[in-house]
């Protein structure tokens, strides 16, 4: 079975978490999606790039989530979510995924 890149897992968690929360009206359910994807990505980051990189990427994931809220007030919810998801995915690829 092909491995899903951590960049895709992280971006999917940010996008999927918001989508689930929005479409179900249950923020906790969206938070669960966000948390599971973040934990999964963090494990992959640790295996691929080590603990220090995994810690930094996890911080980027959490900051991206938190930062999407004020950003949404300026550009809209979906553009904000896609923007931070893209930024986290790019960071993940640069730090961990491109190493294989």
């Amino acid at each position: 079975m092909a491995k899903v890149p951590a960049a895709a897992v992280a971006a999917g968690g940010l996008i999927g978490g918001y989508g689930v929360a929005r479409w179900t009206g249950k923020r906790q359910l969206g938070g669960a999606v966000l948390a599971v994807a973040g934990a999964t990505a963090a494990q992959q980051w640790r295996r691929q790039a080590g603990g220090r990189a995994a810690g930094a990427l996890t911080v980027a994931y959490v900051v991206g989530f938190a930062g999407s809220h004020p950003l949404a007030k300026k550009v809209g919810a979906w553009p904000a979510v896609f923007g931070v998801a893209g930024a986290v995915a790019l960071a993940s690829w640069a730090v961990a995924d491109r190493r294989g």
Side-chain angles (χ1 to χ4, degrees), residues 12-47:
L14 289 162
I15 294 166
Y18 174 69
V20 167
R22 181 172 178 140
W23 290 318
T24 65
K26 306 220 182 277
R27 293 177 69 190
Q28 300 88 343
L29 191 55
V33 171
L34 182 80
V36 168
T40 301
Q43 287 179 337
Q44 286 182 255
W45 292 328
R46 187 175 36 79
R47 277 195 304 271

Side-chain angles (χ1 to χ4, degrees), residues 31-84:
V33 171
L34 182 80
V36 168
T40 301
Q43 287 179 337
Q44 286 182 255
W45 292 328
R46 187 175 36 79
R47 277 195 304 271
Q48 292 172 333
R52 201 173 232 168
L57 288 167
T58 300
V59 167
Y61 184 81
V62 172
V63 168
F65 165 70
S68 69
H69 292 81
L71 183 60
K73 292 179 182 178
K74 296 180 190 251
V75 300
W78 279 113
V81 170
F82 285 128
V84 299

